[in-house]
Amino acid sequence: GSQHEHVPAAAGGTCVATPRGAVRAEGGAMKLRDGPLLHGAVHARAGLRSADASPHGERWSAVKLHLPPARGRGGLRSAESTPFANSRADFLLRDFSSPETSPVAWRARASARSNSLPSLPAPAPAEQGVVQRFHAFVPSSAVVGGGGRRSMPSSRPGSKESREGAPVPMSALHKAEDYSRECARQGIVPVSLDVAAKIISKQISSKALVGDRQIAAWCSAGLFDGQTEIHLRDSQVGEEGAQVIAAKLGTTVQILDLTGNAVGARGAGALGHAALPRLRALSLSKNGLGDAAVQTLCAGLQEGAAPQLIRLSLSENQISRAGHALGGMLGAQLRLNFLDLHWNFIAGDCALGLFQGVEANLANGGSLARLDLSWNCLGNGGAKAAMESLARALKAECSLVHLDLSYNSLRAEDCVVLAGGLRDNHTLVGLHLVGNSASVDADGFVIARDVGGASGMRPASVPAELLAQADDTGMPPRLITAEEKGAIRACFNSIDIDGSGTLEPEELETALNALGLQTTTEEATALIAKSNGSAKDCLDLEEFVALMESLILQERAKEWEKNRLERLSMERDRSFLEARTSCWICESWQAVEITYVGEAHAVWALTSLDDYQKATPLQQEFGKWSCIRMMPPDQVCVVLQVDNNIRLVEGLQSASPKEPIEMRLRQAEGMAAAATATVPVSEVSVLYLGSKKRGDDDDGGDSCKCIEGQPSVPKRAVVISDPDNPGGFCVKPRITETEFRARKQKATWVFEKSIFAAWKFEGTKLYANACGLDWQHGKVAKFLKEQEEQDEAAEACGAHYGPFVRLFRRCAANCSDGVSTPGVSMSTCAELLSSAGVIDEQYCRLADVDTMFIAARVREKGADKRPFAVKVADTLLRFQFMEFLLRVALARFLKTKEVASIAEAVRRLFRSFEETVSPLADNLQTFLKDLHTEACDNILRENEQMLGVVYRLNSGRWSKPAEERLMCCKEFEAVLIGIDCFNDAFPARDVTYVFSMGLQLYPDELYNLDFAQMTFLEFLHGIGAVAHLRREPGPLAERLGRLVVGLAAWSKIGGLLKSLKR
């Protein structure tokens, strides 16, 4: 059906221009461009089907072949060089020669050695005069080939498909034949059997490809045979399709997902009564079943049609009067673990039958652990009787762990009944009551409240404590802890460069800028005058601490107010389904043990969760007092009442609230009465259970720690079935829709947007530039008089400049003292040449090496020579070292006539250095490859501010006034000594080498000192090089993370930086 034109061609053939390429017919054969011959073809028609007809978006070509009687044999082959080449494909051929002829279906796998397909059968003798016409729908991943020719691979070389090469089994051919026959009977277009199998196994979305007739065709082909999981969400499956599925499921299926279809009453009844001995999960949500269909389904399940069923989802099915049927099913299905009935119309009188089933299930030792009844109408008509039945079930020790009754319009008196059932329950750890006339406190108890007859479905009915929890404020802005005060004092000692014990305006300016508080000298002077209130123009230690505390509190108050407004805005925009609750599971609460060691008559724990109004008594056992509280993943303030005194929790950080807290003292039997009923508390212990980032300090202590088996999890979670524990459940992270929209979609990591983006890699252009500058400063013209010789030597040195740089930096690292300009000493030059076997007894003796060293080190004088910025010592700079090596090459290899040219002499010299240079180059490449990754980038990004402060506080001690403060090798070494990062693989003597690994290559190393000092980017590479050379187990990202943690701990500013961020 596509446009094509006939173009005259040679040899009497016809060229047909198609959308996919030229098709040429000549001499009774058709040839696809770069493809195989179709023998016997005299006409070809090419067209395109809609991309929507293929889930892969493939372009299909319809090719009509006319085979004369003499060419009764044909074949189906794949081709290597063709625009259709791809991996597996299904070929469906139908014989349209006469209506009586049964369709012939072929299924082939495009493979490198797939030559086992039989040719088309020859026509019967009575049909020898009949022209055989075949019509094929071929996907773009397939090619029709010539009969009898050996197939060629159509998949990528080395791919899985190209390695298989297995012959097509006859059972697959029979499946294809049955499927094609059923498609012809149903009058539908067949799809690839591979595509059908992927739809069933949930590998691709079905979209509009499936329906009842397609389901019937798949069943006739046996696609459901032996399947353990069948996923047909939103696949337009109706009553007939559901009945066919129920009849063909067999005994192997374990998961059946028909969400978003319309299976109807007959389909539900067929599924409920089908013999499914291994079925474990059945999902019929969003099917609009209604009461009659649900009753039919439950009747079949109650009879034991699916004895292994552990999960049943019937949400959004307009259920209103089928409660007794559901209850009867629950009483029989004792293995059922999860029942989902949310978003239906189940009222109180209907729920009574359901809760009676729950009661029977739990009383008979059932396994029901999760029940979801949110967004129903339990509060309408007979709610009290239903709640009484549920309360009776909860009073006993039952298996129910998670119960969701959100948005059911339950009245206060109904919630009182529910609260009575939960009073002695110790198994239910997750309870949702948002949208009812009750709330759940921090200890999991139900608190009924009267809202004046409100339905509880309005936003105003959301419990006030939930908004308070969303406000994330046990205290307003977080206060300065004792550890952070210690960090401020440590910063003072680092900033006081002259050791005078006071900070001048310039030093204070440097300190504040290093900590991220941009300040000018005038502002620093004004701060000093405001802080000390006297005429002196400096700050002592205590004045500096007071100043920093005030500045940090100001920054923290601004950040807290900004976050508070954002959280409240997020909470207002949050949908009802996303409202925060006090569910211990979904909100990731953790069991925390609070302990006290010491002599006491009675001990209580009071927390900010209930505004210090509820006291939890600690029990004495094995010489210590302890209790267990569930706490959310947020900041929680804790104090202990020990007898009549208020104590802090040992091992936790402390903070001072803005105003003292009035706490009522508790009394125990036999304890002396307190002098006053209440006492003011001005200091509390702070516990933070939120998810920690790498490098954060541990805020917990031995006296307040999480119970083993209760790992820290993200702040929001969801309860789902545990794939590793059939019948059990697990908690996984949950991101709500509002939170998802608020987050930016994470882009693919690219080097150009990483923290390493400004790094300049060494390459041919940089080598040529640096070599050219070095050549200008050398004295080659003194010993090579001819210009041709000089040009040849320059070209030879440029060709080996990369190995030369590696050699120079390694040798200079062995000679550097960390302060002076890097260079190579005479003894190092002699040792290098001796180890490489260059020293001989005639032309390159040790005495000659010393002479050439001195000659290379002498700088030619002249009026046009600018003074070097570097401090020249008794070592060779880079340009001098290159001149020295050129002199050695000429003396050792050219004068001895071992080589005939200068280029050969230089090549021979660097060949002698291969054993030294090659490991250095390989080590550098491996290091950069491992460092420039997303994992390392994330670690450095997360700790960029802390690392920046460390860099700025430890840089510029030897810099001149008005110069940029960069880090020299000696300062870098002081940092490494401070964190004690040396081991057997990385001894202290390798500091200069690791320093050079972090430096980039600079063309100019004479008039600019940047090449010998680290920028912040180079400092990050230096830290990465340390982690690389330590040779610890694990990937570089993990080793780098441990090093960064140690760096933050050594600098003692981790807590201070976290405070500034807050």
Side-chain angles (χ1 to χ4, degrees):
S2 64
Q3 297 294 329
H4 60 274
E5 58 177 322
H6 297 268
V7 183
T14 300
C15 181
V16 184
T18 73
R20 296 308 303 265
V23 178
R24 184 179 63 202
E26 51 180 302
M30 183 182 77
K31 187 178 189 303
L32 295 181
R33 183 182 63 184
D34 297 329
L37 287 174
L38 303 180
H39 291 277
V42 295
H43 174 73
R45 179 172 61 109
L48 292 177
R49 292 184 60 188
S50 170
D52 293 337
S54 171
H56 298 293
E58 294 177 334
R59 307 177 67 184
W60 290 39
S61 297
V63 183
K64 189 175 182 180
L65 311 180
H66 297 268
L67 302 183
R71 291 283 185 177
R73 293 183 62 82
L76 226 53
R77 300 292 177 229
S78 59
E80 181 179 14
S81 300
T82 167
F84 301 97
N86 204 335
S87 55
R88 301 179 185 173
D90 291 310
F91 302 79
L92 303 174
L93 265 66
R94 292 182 55 199
D95 183 359
F96 289 97
S97 59
S98 64
E100 294 79 18
T101 306
S102 60
V104 180
W106 297 88
R107 181 178 185 274
R109 183 177 294 172
S111 177
R113 297 178 295 279
S114 177
N115 196 28
S116 59
L117 288 171
S119 300
L120 293 175
E127 300 174 350
Q128 288 291 333
V130 180
V131 174
Q132 301 290 315
R133 297 187 299 277
F134 294 92
H135 190 278
F137 284 104
V138 186
S140 64
S141 57
V143 170
V144 180
R149 298 179 64 89
R150 181 174 179 84
S151 67
M152 300 297 291
S154 65
S155 55
R156 301 188 311 273
S159 64
K160 179 181 178 181
E161 291 78 14
S162 67
R163 294 193 301 267
E164 287 178 356
V168 179
M170 292 305 297
S171 60
L173 298 179
H174 291 319
K175 275 188 179 183
E177 183 177 357
D178 295 340
Y179 176 54
S180 179
R181 184 185 297 110
E182 185 64 21
C183 287
R185 188 182 69 81
Q186 296 276 1
I188 59 176
V189 178
V191 298
S192 165
L193 293 185
D194 275 351
V195 171
K198 290 179 180 179
I199 292 175
I200 294 172
S201 61
K202 204 179 178 180
Q203 295 183 31
I204 58 176
S205 176
S206 57
K207 302 292 184 186
L209 283 173
V210 186
D212 286 350
R213 292 190 294 174
Q214 196 68 253
I215 291 292
W218 288 356
C219 289
S220 67
L223 290 186
F224 292 153
D225 297 347
Q227 294 282 351
T228 59
E229 297 186 14
I230 297 177
H231 300 271
L232 293 172
R233 281 177 170 249
D234 304 313
S235 299
Q236 302 180 10
V237 180
E239 289 186 328
E240 295 181 1
Q243 288 177 301
V244 172
I245 292 174
K248 294 289 186 178
L249 280 181
T251 60
T252 60
V253 65
Q254 298 182 18
I255 298 176
L256 176 59
D257 187 357
L258 293 175
T259 302
N261 292 288
V263 300
R266 288 187 296 161
L271 291 170
H273 289 83
L276 304 172
R278 296 188 180 181
L279 185 66
R280 307 176 70 86
L282 174 62
S283 179
L284 295 175
S285 300
K286 300 181 182 180
N287 269 268
L289 294 179
D291 293 323
V294 172
Q295 289 171 355
T296 307
L297 173 69
C298 290
L301 295 177
Q302 188 173 354
E303 295 174 0
Q308 302 293 329
L309 187 66
I310 61 174
R311 181 186 177 94
L312 178 61
S313 298
L314 295 173
S315 61
E316 300 185 48
N317 273 306
Q318 304 173 13
I319 304 172
S320 61
R321 312 299 304 175
H324 289 281
L326 290 167
M329 181 271 298
L330 279 174
Q333 288 284 350
L334 298 182
R335 288 181 175 268
L336 193 66
N337 176 270
F338 175 46
L339 178 60
D340 185 5
L341 294 171
H342 80 269
W343 210 282
N344 283 293
F345 303 105
I346 301 175
D349 51 356
C350 173
L352 176 60
L354 172 63
F355 289 146
Q356 288 174 348
V358 173
E359 189 177 358
N361 181 284
L362 301 179
N364 296 329
S367 303
L368 186 63
R370 298 158 55 205
L371 179 61
D372 190 350
L373 280 167
S374 58
W375 292 93
N376 278 279
C377 311
L378 299 183
N380 299 341
K384 185 175 182 180
M387 289 297 104
E388 289 175 350
S389 177
L390 179 59
R392 286 194 299 268
L394 295 174
K395 279 183 178 179
E397 292 295 330
C398 61
S399 59
L400 200 62
V401 175
H402 191 266
L403 176 62
D404 194 344
L405 299 176
S406 303
Y407 301 101
N408 271 279
S409 304
L410 292 172
R411 296 171 299 177
E413 52 267 29
D414 303 328
C415 296
V416 169
V417 175
L418 178 62
L422 289 172
R423 188 169 292 112
D424 296 323
N425 182 281
H426 300 286
T427 58
L428 189 69
V429 294
L431 177 61
H432 294 254
L433 278 179
V434 177
N436 299 290
S437 297
S439 59
V440 182
D441 67 5
D443 291 323
F445 292 104
V446 174
I447 302 174
R449 55 193 176 86
D450 189 5
V451 292
S455 64
M457 300 293 287
R458 302 195 309 271
S461 67
V462 177
E465 67 270 14
L466 299 184
L467 287 178
Q469 183 183 2
D471 202 16
D472 193 22
T473 57
M475 297 175 294
R478 300 192 179 188
L479 304 176
I480 298 178
T481 64
E483 180 184 355
E484 291 167 343
K485 291 182 180 179
I488 295 175
R489 294 177 181 273
C491 286
F492 178 88
N493 296 329
S494 300
I495 299 165
D496 186 16
I497 300 176
D498 56 7
S500 61
T502 58
L503 294 183
E504 284 71 28
E506 294 77 11
E507 293 176 321
L508 180 61
E509 176 192 0
T510 302
L512 296 179
N513 289 330
L515 293 173
L517 303 174
Q518 300 302 320
T519 310
T520 64
T521 305
E522 292 76 12
E523 292 173 340
T525 304
L527 283 174
I528 291 176
K530 183 179 178 180
S531 299
N532 54 31
S534 61
K536 63 177 184 179
D537 57 351
C538 59
L539 289 177
D540 58 22
L541 175 60
E542 297 303 326
E543 292 171 341
F544 174 74
V545 171
L547 172 63
M548 292 303 300
E549 286 183 4
S550 63
L551 292 176
I552 292 174
L553 286 177
Q554 291 176 14
E555 293 291 327
R556 194 174 293 180
K558 294 177 183 179
E559 187 69 19
W560 174 84
E561 180 64 20
K562 178 183 176 182
N563 293 339
R564 186 184 69 86
L565 295 176
E566 290 179 354
R567 285 192 296 269
L568 289 180
S569 176
M570 177 78 73
E571 207 64 35
R572 293 188 189 101
D573 295 338
R574 191 186 299 276
S575 69
F576 292 139
L577 288 175
E578 301 173 4
R580 292 183 180 270
T581 70
S582 294
C583 176
W584 292 348
I585 296 178
C586 296
E587 301 299 338
S588 302
W589 288 44
Q590 302 176 54
V592 177
E593 182 182 18
I594 303 174
T595 61
Y596 171 77
V597 179
E599 295 294 332
H601 187 82
V603 182
W604 293 269
L606 299 95
T607 69
S608 59
L609 294 176
D610 43 31
D611 200 18
Y612 308 99
Q613 298 302 310
K614 184 178 180 179
T616 303
L618 276 67
Q619 303 297 325
Q620 188 176 23
E621 187 177 10
F622 302 114
K624 71 175 182 178
W625 300 80
S626 65
C627 72
I628 296 177
R629 286 290 305 267
M630 295 295 294
M631 294 187 180
D634 291 308
Q635 175 181 280
V636 180
C637 299
V638 186
V639 293
L640 297 177
Q641 178 186 339
V642 181
D643 294 339
N644 291 323
N645 301 314
I646 298 298
R647 303 281 183 86
L648 299 179
V649 180
E650 185 179 353
L652 293 184
Q653 296 185 32
S654 60
S656 301
K658 189 174 183 180
E659 296 180 357
I661 304 171
E662 290 292 331
M663 292 190 184
R664 181 175 60 88
L665 295 178
R666 273 63 178 176
Q667 294 294 320
E669 184 178 355
M671 188 175 71
T676 57
T678 61
V679 293
V681 177
S682 58
E683 191 173 14
V684 295
S685 300
V686 179
L687 174 66
Y688 188 73
L689 298 177
S691 56
K692 299 179 183 298
K693 293 182 180 180
R694 183 180 287 106
D696 285 359
D697 296 331
D698 188 4
D699 291 324
D702 294 336
S703 299
C704 199
K705 59 184 179 181
C706 294
I707 303 299
E708 293 185 4
Q710 300 284 339
S712 179
V713 292
K715 288 190 175 183
R716 313 265 350 242
V718 63
V719 188
I720 62 174
S721 298
D722 189 354
D724 300 325
N725 180 23
F729 67 91
C730 59
V731 180
K732 295 295 183 182
R734 171 166 63 96
I735 300 177
T736 62
E737 183 178 359
T738 305
E739 292 166 339
F740 177 77
R741 290 175 179 175
R743 293 185 180 184
K744 290 182 65 177
Q745 186 175 1
K746 184 180 179 182
T748 304
W749 185 85
V750 291
F751 176 82
E752 289 73 16
K753 295 183 179 181
S754 68
I755 199 172
F756 314 111
W759 181 261
K760 295 179 181 179
F761 290 93
E762 298 179 7
T764 304
K765 185 176 180 180
L766 184 58
Y767 287 154
N769 191 8
C771 183
L773 290 177
D774 290 346
W775 193 261
Q776 294 176 7
H777 299 293
K779 307 183 298 296
V780 180
K782 294 293 184 181
F783 54 90
L784 291 178
K785 303 298 183 181
E786 299 296 333
Q787 185 63 39
E788 293 182 356
E789 294 178 343
Q790 297 176 18
D791 295 341
E792 182 183 2
E795 184 178 357
C797 292
H800 297 85
Y801 199 79
F804 163 75
V805 171
R806 302 277 75 75
L807 190 63
F808 171 74
R809 288 197 168 183
R810 190 64 181 106
C811 293
N814 294 337
C815 311
S816 176
D817 58 0
V819 179
S820 59
T821 304
V824 184
S825 65
M826 181 183 295
S827 59
T828 302
C829 290
E831 183 181 354
L832 171 67
L833 298 179
S834 298
S835 61
V838 178
I839 302 295
D840 65 2
E841 297 298 331
Q842 186 174 3
Y843 294 98
C844 194
R845 299 168 298 177
L846 287 177
D848 298 326
V849 170
D850 295 344
T851 302
M852 288 183 282
F853 179 90
I854 297 173
R857 186 172 165 272
V858 174
R859 187 189 179 201
E860 188 177 5
K861 296 182 179 180
D864 57 337
K865 298 295 182 179
R866 291 184 296 164
F868 292 158
V870 299
K871 298 178 181 178
V872 181
D874 295 334
T875 56
L876 297 180
L877 302 179
R878 191 180 68 191
F879 80 95
Q880 296 169 335
F881 186 63
M882 184 170 66
E883 178 186 335
F884 168 75
L885 293 182
L886 180 60
R887 289 176 181 271
V888 171
L890 298 178
R892 176 63 180 83
F893 300 107
L894 188 62
K895 287 186 178 180
T896 59
K897 298 183 180 181
E898 293 185 22
V899 296
S901 64
I902 298 175
E904 284 292 331
V906 174
R907 190 177 301 112
R908 281 285 302 274
L909 178 64
F910 278 97
R911 194 182 305 161
S912 304
F913 296 147
E914 279 186 357
E915 293 185 2
T916 303
V917 175
S918 294
L920 297 175
D922 295 342
N923 185 48
L924 181 63
Q925 293 299 323
T926 302
F927 158 62
L928 292 177
K929 180 180 178 181
D930 293 344
L931 180 67
H932 293 163
T933 58
E934 182 177 6
C936 294
D937 182 37
N938 292 338
I939 292 173
L940 296 177
R941 286 283 191 191
E942 291 173 2
N943 298 277
E944 183 177 4
Q945 185 179 8
M946 181 273 295
L947 293 171
V949 173
V950 172
Y951 170 77
R952 289 188 291 270
L953 292 180
N954 293 275
S955 300
R957 290 180 180 268
W958 283 272
S959 299
K960 296 180 180 179
E963 281 187 349
E964 184 181 2
R965 298 173 64 88
L966 301 177
M967 179 178 286
C968 69
C969 184
K970 205 69 175 178
E971 294 167 325
F972 184 70
E973 182 180 10
V975 173
L976 300 187
I977 293 174
I979 61 178
D980 191 21
C981 63
F982 303 111
N983 59 10
D984 294 339
F986 176 56
R989 63 175 178 272
D990 284 343
V991 169
T992 51
Y993 174 57
V994 78
F995 182 81
S996 67
M997 287 182 66
L999 296 176
Q1000 304 175 92
L1001 177 63
Y1002 292 85
D1004 180 16
E1005 289 195 0
L1006 293 176
Y1007 304 109
N1008 195 325
L1009 292 176
D1010 290 350
F1011 76 95
Q1013 296 175 311
M1014 275 186 168
T1015 63
F1016 178 62
L1017 175 61
E1018 292 170 331
F1019 171 70
L1020 298 181
H1021 280 75
I1023 295 298
V1026 172
H1028 172 72
L1029 291 183
R1030 282 171 60 85
R1031 309 296 183 189
E1032 293 177 326
L1036 181 62
E1038 293 183 4
R1039 291 178 277 157
L1040 180 61
R1042 292 193 292 267
L1043 196 64
V1044 169
V1045 170
L1047 193 61
W1050 165 76
S1051 61
K1052 297 182 181 179
I1053 59 175
L1056 180 59
L1057 289 176
K1058 287 189 292 183
S1059 302
L1060 289 173
K1061 288 182 179 180
R1062 292 165 189 158

